[in-house]
Amino acid sequence: MGNDSIFMGASTKQGYDIASKSREIVRSLIADKIKDLSPAEQRIVERIVHSTADPEYADIAEISSDFVDESIKAIKARKDILTDINMVKVGINKYKGEIKCYISHEDAIKLAKEEQITRAAAAMRVAHKEGFDGIIVIGNAPTALFEAINLVENEGMKAKSIVGVPVGFVGAAESKEALAKTKIPNIITQGPKGGTPVAVAVANSLIGLEKLD
């Protein structure tokens, strides 16, 4: 069924026809905005816009120059994918490696109470303690993103790349700005916009890109 089926996840002729039409619409809306991106980066932004029905993401998405290459290397090596919440985890599909989320882990719950931090941040610490090595995908919790940055930069957490797209008006923009200033391969969305659909779109795009590579 071609690349559009991979791009949108279509599996039937009807689904493929819808995917093709959707992609045409998305491309017509954002073609000028993404013309300077690489083909792989264009596919990621197209999928974000399709998933959110919001062309503004073509303006606010920022992708570090090494993000795609390092992420696809990790995908090919079947490195773990770590998410901030379970909703992001269940949205990621067709991955042959493991997808992990520790927000409901008893150690994260205990640590959050002891340290008076959010469970999302505590979950990042638990993941590091468990030897995480792979891609971090954060769509909701700025505290998880701040903690992930700290763990990678100061505690040796093995993050091949970070999808940092938390949503909200408290801390989200600041956490993404902090990530963009690091040397960690990353993608962010400027400002308060982001969320589960964006995080899932990026992760599934990377999995699809590995198949095309």
Side-chain angles (χ1 to χ4, degrees):
M1 289 187 174
N3 291 344
D4 283 329
S5 61
I6 295 174
F7 169 68
M8 299 294 190
S11 59
T12 64
K13 183 181 184 303
Q14 184 181 30
Y16 174 66
D17 290 343
I18 293 170
S20 296
K21 182 63 176 177
S22 295
R23 192 170 190 189
E24 287 176 13
I25 294 169
V26 168
R27 282 180 163 171
S28 70
L29 291 170
I30 66 173
D32 288 343
K33 297 178 180 180
I34 64 173
K35 64 180 185 298
D36 295 328
L37 299 180
S38 72
E41 292 169 341
Q42 289 179 3
R43 295 181 78 86
I44 292 171
V45 176
E46 284 173 0
R47 187 150 183 169
I48 293 172
V49 172
H50 173 262
S51 297
T52 59
D54 187 349
E56 188 185 357
Y57 279 103
D59 296 310
I60 64 175
E62 286 188 3
I63 306 172
S64 69
S65 60
D66 52 359
F67 172 74
V68 171
D69 286 346
E70 293 303 315
S71 297
I72 291 180
K73 284 180 188 176
I75 295 288
K76 284 183 174 181
R78 303 293 179 253
K79 297 291 186 180
D80 292 345
I81 293 176
L82 172 66
T83 69
D84 58 336
I85 66 168
N86 284 311
M87 192 179 296
V88 175
K89 178 182 176 182
V90 299
I92 301 171
N93 54 50
K94 298 182 181 178
Y95 185 50
K96 295 179 181 178
E98 289 194 51
I99 306 170
K100 297 181 176 179
C101 180
Y102 293 91
I103 197 162
S104 297
H105 193 285
E106 60 182 16
D107 289 350
I109 296 170
K110 180 180 178 183
L111 182 62
K113 290 180 179 178
E114 290 176 350
E115 299 292 329
Q116 289 296 293
I117 58 175
T118 67
R119 278 172 53 189
M124 293 294 115
R125 295 189 189 180
V126 172
H128 177 46
K129 183 180 178 182
E130 294 290 318
F132 170 77
D133 182 1
I135 300 173
I136 300 174
V137 182
I138 295 174
N140 295 269
T143 55
L145 183 50
F146 277 125
E147 188 62 37
I149 294 168
N150 174 60
L151 290 168
V152 172
E153 293 195 318
N154 301 312
E155 303 294 337
M157 188 178 194
K158 295 179 180 178
K160 305 304 183 187
S161 66
I162 297 181
V163 177
V165 292
V167 62
F169 293 103
V170 180
E174 292 83 356
S175 68
K176 290 180 279 191
E177 289 169 8
L179 176 60
K181 292 176 182 177
T182 72
K183 294 181 179 180
I184 306 166
N186 71 84
I187 179 172
I188 67 164
T189 49
Q190 300 171 344
K193 283 190 173 184
T196 294
V198 180
V200 168
V202 175
N204 285 331
S205 288
L206 293 171
I207 294 166
L209 285 167
E210 186 234 348
K211 297 175 184 176
L212 295 174
D213 194 43

